[in-house]
Amino acid sequence: MGSLPESPESTDSLPTPTTAAGRDGLDAILTRPTRAVIALDFDGTLALIVPDPEQARAHPDAVPALAALAPKVASVAVITGRPAGVAVRHGGFAGVPGLEHLVVLGHYGAERWDAVSATVSAPAPHPGVAAARAELPGFLDRIGAWQGTWIEEKGRAVAVHTRRASDPQAAFEALREPLTDLATRHGLIVEPGRMVLELRPPGMDKGVALLEYVREIGAEAVLYAGDDLGDLPAFAAVDKLRSDGIPGLLVCSGSSEVAELADRADLVVDGPPGVVRLLSALASQLD
């Protein structure tokens, strides 16, 4: 896979995607930027993964890079499993010159914040989330999985993290089946991530959110960047758009934890710093 150069003097150089479809996608963005959507995950893509998600913040150069790029393309959208308002706060996206039309699709698209109104719109919460949240502490204790795991309340979803366990991957695998059973009982699904299993309502994912947004604004090219298993539906959505004649570029914010995403990407960059360099290089090229 292609990667961005590390040296400061080459930050304006765009990398070459390793696939023909990716090269077509990048070319379409460069030649028709005002018809292009730039869509990005938050955690692991614009923000480094940290042990406590409440401490995650956008890379310090992410907002300046987005603000430089956004006025030159049709739209910039952040698509995240987090609540939209949390992503806005942790990203520092509100009130930024250049980001007046930024859209944040939170909870995999179930919530929407846009900079124009500075408000979040969302449907009523799924009752199964509250029921599963109430059951989780005792559930984890009964199956012997309390040690090293912790629960994150996400409003319209609830997540169990294993990164603090003595063997995070083993704990993750051991919890997948029982948490899937619990989710099913409450009408929910399990969304796996990087050492986290999220219980959330069905019917929406990053792929659905991306397809709906691209079609809403009539985009003719799309870039999607992500780092996690939850980004695979968005990768599939870009493949679908390509089959419909809309070029796309798939970018993996590199991680050895999610090889499947890197294998499917047209371009692999070095985590959030690499994503920021890519955004900055795009903005520079479009000057």
Side-chain angles (χ1 to χ4, degrees):
M1 299 294 170
S3 60
L4 277 172
E6 296 290 338
S7 58
E9 64 270 19
S10 60
T11 54
D12 286 344
S13 299
L14 278 170
T16 301
T18 57
T19 66
R23 291 190 290 273
D24 289 345
L26 179 57
D27 182 65
I29 292 165
L30 293 173
T31 56
R32 302 190 298 278
T34 59
R35 305 304 302 161
V37 168
I38 308 299
L40 310 114
D41 173 41
F42 185 75
D43 292 283
T45 302
L46 291 175
L48 291 170
I49 295 292
V50 294
D52 180 0
E54 285 304 306
Q55 301 306 311
R57 297 294 183 271
H59 185 283
D61 295 326
V63 168
L66 288 170
L69 179 59
K72 302 168 186 175
V73 297
S75 180
V76 171
V78 176
I79 306 178
T80 175
R82 284 183 181 268
V86 172
V88 172
R89 290 195 303 275
H90 288 197
F93 299 138
V96 176
L99 295 183
E100 292 88 354
H101 299 284
L102 178 73
V103 170
V104 177
L105 303 175
H107 279 306
Y108 305 90
E111 291 185 347
R112 176 168 175 159
W113 176 92
D114 66 80
V116 173
S117 65
T119 59
V120 175
S121 58
H126 190 293
V129 175
R133 183 186 299 116
E135 191 174 336
L136 261 176
F139 178 84
L140 292 172
D141 191 43
R142 285 195 304 276
I143 65 174
W146 188 254
Q147 187 68 32
T149 62
W150 62 283
I151 298 168
E152 180 189 6
E153 300 202 15
K154 302 180 72 173
R156 296 175 182 275
V158 60
V160 178
H161 292 259
T162 67
R163 191 171 291 276
R164 297 176 185 170
S166 56
D167 188 337
Q169 186 63 44
F172 177 88
E173 295 300 337
L175 281 171
R176 288 186 78 147
E177 185 174 343
L179 284 179
T180 298
D181 292 342
L182 174 65
T184 301
R185 284 197 285 107
H186 293 292
L188 307 175
I189 62 171
V190 169
E191 184 78 46
R194 289 169 65 176
M195 304 305 136
V196 58
L197 294 155
E198 182 174 316
L199 287 70
R200 65 176 184 84
M204 202 66 178
D205 59 35
K206 291 182 181 180
V208 173
L210 180 60
L211 281 174
E212 290 184 352
Y213 188 66
V214 166
R215 289 166 176 163
E216 173 190 328
I217 67 170
E220 296 176 4
V222 60
L223 178 154
Y224 184 82
D227 75 305
D228 205 342
L229 293 172
D231 295 302
L232 286 172
F235 271 39
V238 173
D239 286 337
K240 173 67 168 66
L241 290 167
R242 286 168 167 173
S243 71
D244 292 340
I246 298 175
L249 175 63
L250 292 169
V251 179
C252 175
S253 177
S255 166
S256 59
E257 292 179 357
V258 191
E260 186 177 354
L261 206 71
D263 290 343
R264 291 188 56 180
D266 306 306
L267 184 65
V268 177
V269 299
D270 184 21
V275 171
V276 168
R277 289 197 299 273
L278 175 60
L279 297 173
S280 297
L282 272 173
S284 178
Q285 289 289 318
L286 294 175
D287 283 337

